[in-house]
Amino acid sequence: MIHLLLDNAEALLAQGGHIIGMTGYADFALARDLLRAHGRPIRHAFVLSGAGILSTEIRGNAREAKVLAELVPPAPLANRRQVTSFLWLA
């Protein structure tokens, strides 16, 4: 993910659209710092388990959160597992 962002930074970071990523924690943290440095902070991040969404961190609006929520179903309580990735929008 970081390689993709760095190689295409001019096109991806200069435009006003959204960037959606699905990464592990290390790439999430690196992307968060890179995007923040370019004035494009991560607005929403869903913490995912093997079964679906575990929790939500919201910094943007409800409409943006709904877009990400539509991509992954919620995790049933009985099937919650360790965090495996992050789905985020910047």
Side-chain angles (χ1 to χ4, degrees):
M1 177 56 76
I2 298 307
H3 188 274
L4 176 67
L5 287 173
L6 288 173
D7 279 356
N8 300 293
E10 189 172 314
L12 289 174
L13 302 176
Q15 297 181 15
H18 295 296
I19 299 171
I20 295 176
M22 186 169 182
T23 62
Y25 178 76
D27 278 343
F28 170 73
L30 290 169
R32 180 189 59 205
D33 293 343
L34 174 71
L35 290 164
R36 188 180 319 146
H38 282 85
R40 296 282 306 272
I42 289 178
R43 299 173 59 84
H44 294 279
F46 288 156
V47 179
L48 305 177
S49 74
I53 295 173
L54 284 177
S55 62
T56 307
E57 178 182 334
I58 298 178
R59 292 190 179 115
N61 61 45
R63 182 176 170 215
E64 293 168 340
K66 186 176 179 183
V67 169
L68 290 183
E70 296 286 328
L71 297 175
V72 180
L77 290 175
N79 293 329
R80 290 187 176 186
R81 300 182 185 124
Q82 288 184 317
V83 172
T84 58
S85 55
F86 292 79
L87 178 64
W88 49 269
L89 179 142

